[in-house]
Amino acid sequence: MARPRIYDPELIMDAAERLVAGSGPDGVTIRGLAAATGVSNGAIYHAFGSLPVLLGRVWLRAAGDFLDLQETAVQKAAESEGPSAGAAMDAVAAAADAPAAFALRRPAAARMLMGVSREQLLGPGLPDQLAADLLALDRRLLDLLKRLARGMWGRADAAAVAVITLCVVDLPTAAFRRALTAPLADEAATAATPIEADTRQRLEAAVRAVLTIPPPGRPGRRPSTATTKD
């Protein structure tokens, strides 16, 4: 009979997530994880194979959870007014605000995703399954960007997707990075990280302003300037 598992891999990933959020990827070692979790070095290696694979799984879990939240926020916003240009704009604004909402629910994960790039965590020679899972996540994000672009302008070409990317990736990163990368005490890594309401409102205003200018190229419909209901 197989030896019963006496540890939870999710707890190991939780600890790794906190360490990355607090100290960056260079602050994570198998020995440190063993000390933080009470799980032996050998058991951690047995569960994940290597530190890069463990960190890849941690990043993948956090990014997947964030995308789940973002997709849900987009769906709710899109349905709030029925199919319309105003609802399409609301959906993009909701996607842009998602990092702030995620920071309240998963602060360590939000800090990791904002402050550490995937390339910093992952080493060469990742297992095929992990590489495939990361590629699938990239495709999900691209599908969401295209869906938002189609909702706004009825098109999902490169120019339209670039404008949506500006709204839901570039602007939120610029607006929220300071709050989500400020140094914290170790014990604060898991504390909720509220983004100031003023910052969130100004981001929304910037996103809506960008969306009033259709992407270059073939003409699309000009969106409504309706605002999100409170």
Side-chain angles (χ1 to χ4, degrees):
M1 293 181 61
R3 183 181 301 175
R5 180 176 290 173
I6 59 175
Y7 59 89
D8 183 353
E10 292 290 320
L11 296 179
I12 298 172
M13 290 196 288
D14 289 345
E17 186 175 275
R18 291 192 297 271
L19 288 172
V20 173
S23 306
D26 293 340
V28 185
T29 64
I30 295 296
R31 180 176 296 179
L33 285 171
T37 61
V39 178
S40 70
N41 293 4
I44 295 174
Y45 277 116
H46 179 75
F48 295 98
S50 70
L51 183 59
V53 170
L54 166 57
L55 295 178
R57 287 293 170 196
V58 169
W59 194 95
L60 183 67
R61 183 185 67 165
D65 289 347
F66 168 72
L67 194 51
D68 288 344
L69 180 149
Q70 191 172 48
E71 289 173 336
T72 298
V74 165
Q75 189 66 27
K76 288 181 179 178
E79 293 173 350
S80 63
E81 300 180 15
S84 69
M89 189 178 284
D90 289 347
V92 180
D97 187 64
F102 191 62
L104 292 174
R105 298 188 186 186
R106 294 278 304 281
R111 289 179 61 84
M112 179 181 68
L113 293 176
M114 183 63 72
V116 181
S117 70
R118 185 166 77 183
E119 290 71 24
Q120 288 178 274
L121 285 179
L122 307 182
L126 291 177
D128 290 344
Q129 185 58 58
L130 179 55
D133 290 343
L134 291 167
L135 180 60
L137 190 71
D138 290 341
R139 288 173 176 164
R140 274 183 67 192
L141 175 58
L142 181 58
D143 287 345
L144 176 62
L145 297 174
K146 288 181 175 180
R147 176 156 39 108
L148 291 169
R150 289 191 189 98
M152 282 298 308
W153 303 293
R155 52 186 281 201
D157 56 277
V161 170
V163 176
I164 297 298
T165 302
L166 172 64
C167 290
V168 306
V169 178
D170 300 334
L171 290 178
T173 298
F176 300 147
R177 176 178 290 278
R178 182 177 299 176
L180 292 177
T181 59
L184 291 176
D186 291 343
E187 63 272 14
T190 57
T193 306
I195 307 296
E196 291 185 1
D198 180 74
T199 301
R200 296 173 76 169
Q201 291 168 358
R202 291 179 186 279
L203 172 65
E204 180 178 352
V207 167
R208 291 181 183 278
V210 169
L211 294 175
T212 61
I213 305 174
R218 60 189 180 89
R221 73 171 186 267
R222 192 176 183 86
S224 165
T225 55
T227 57
T228 303
K229 293 183 175 63
D230 291 331

